[in-house]
Amino acid sequence: MKHVCSVAINAAILALGAVSASAQPVISAKSGLVAYVEGKVFVGDQPVQPSLTSFPDVKENMVLRTEEGRAEILLSPGVFLRVGENSSFRMITNRLIDTRLEVLTGSAVVEADEMAKDSNVTIVANKASILIAKHGLYRFDMEPARVKVFDGIASVTNGEQTTPVGAGRMLSLDNNTASVEKFSKENTDALDRWSRRRAENVAMANVSSAKQAHD
């Protein structure tokens, strides 16, 4: 299985890194690099084929969608978007310092291991804008429309109202009433468990790459 991780950021530019099982770095100056796929995944109308050497990217205004498949996308150094089955998102802005995307259908998880200084990741869902400015783990669902914060804090703007949502809390995005509720972090599904396995694989790849670099 291919392993993917972020690698060092060039001192002159913000760069996005992915490392495959062969430890060959892939660098992108934009967010939206499709780092890992399973099953049927499409960027636009083109199917994405698993590869150790080819990493397509989701450009601005393009849509990534899954059928019976899942995808991992690098948004910025240390920030991963993991898309579940029968889900889709549209890339609004793919700048590393200001990444914006819209979840259209299904479910997605954002894992922010590191947040570079002066960089933002914004998720749009059901007309609400969710700003992720701190490390953490965030879940977005469209049926029903809601955001869950497993770890970290999200700033949700819906209409003229902005609501902070902390760890262990969720917020419905189906209406303009900002009602924050508790949820059990133990109540997970296949997407959450797959995202956790991917996070473990990325961590292992990081350790392996660091060891190879040291050797």
Side-chain angles (χ1 to χ4, degrees):
M1 178 180 291
K2 177 178 60 181
H3 301 296
V4 182
C5 70
S6 55
V7 295
I9 306 173
N10 187 285
I13 63 171
L14 285 173
L16 200 63
V19 177
S20 69
S22 60
Q24 297 297 318
V26 178
I27 303 299
S28 174
K30 299 287 187 179
S31 63
L33 191 75
V34 183
Y36 181 87
V37 298
E38 292 180 1
K40 293 183 179 180
V41 179
F42 302 82
V43 174
D45 295 327
Q46 299 300 314
V48 180
Q49 302 296 337
S51 172
L52 294 176
T53 58
S54 176
F55 300 89
D57 60 328
V58 186
K59 296 180 173 58
E60 291 185 357
N61 295 316
M62 294 186 69
V63 172
L64 180 144
R65 63 181 176 88
T66 65
E67 293 181 357
E68 294 180 1
R70 302 183 178 114
E72 180 177 85
I73 296 91
L74 298 177
L75 298 182
S76 64
V79 181
F80 302 83
L81 172 71
R82 299 188 177 105
V83 183
E85 295 184 350
N86 300 306
S87 302
S88 62
F89 77 90
R90 179 176 66 90
M91 182 65 72
I92 301 173
T93 302
N94 64 351
R95 293 190 301 160
L96 288 179
I97 61 173
D98 184 23
T99 299
R100 294 177 60 88
L101 62 91
E102 180 180 8
V103 179
L104 301 174
T105 60
S107 300
V109 171
V110 172
E111 180 187 354
D113 293 331
E114 300 177 18
M115 292 295 297
K117 186 178 180 180
D118 299 324
S119 68
N120 293 316
V121 173
T122 301
I123 310 296
V124 178
N126 204 35
K127 299 183 180 180
S129 295
I130 301 95
L131 175 64
I132 298 172
K134 296 182 63 176
H135 75 274
L137 184 64
Y138 308 85
R139 166 77 182 243
F140 302 88
D141 296 293
M142 295 306 296
E143 295 180 7
R146 64 190 178 187
V147 55
K148 290 181 176 180
V149 180
F150 285 85
D151 185 33
I153 185 169
S155 180
V156 182
T157 300
N158 200 347
E160 297 182 354
Q161 187 172 13
T162 299
T163 305
V165 183
R169 301 292 192 272
M170 68 179 181
L171 176 66
S172 172
L173 305 175
D174 277 334
N175 51 57
N176 292 325
T177 302
S179 178
V180 179
E181 302 176 3
K182 292 183 179 180
F183 75 94
S184 173
K185 295 183 181 181
E186 304 303 319
N187 186 15
T188 59
D189 63 7
L191 173 59
D192 296 313
R193 293 188 289 272
W194 178 75
S195 179
R196 183 165 58 247
R197 290 194 300 271
R198 287 300 308 152
E200 292 170 353
N201 289 342
V202 167
M204 291 174 60
N206 269 321
V207 172
S208 176
S209 297
K211 184 178 184 301
Q212 290 182 29
H214 179 269
D215 292 343

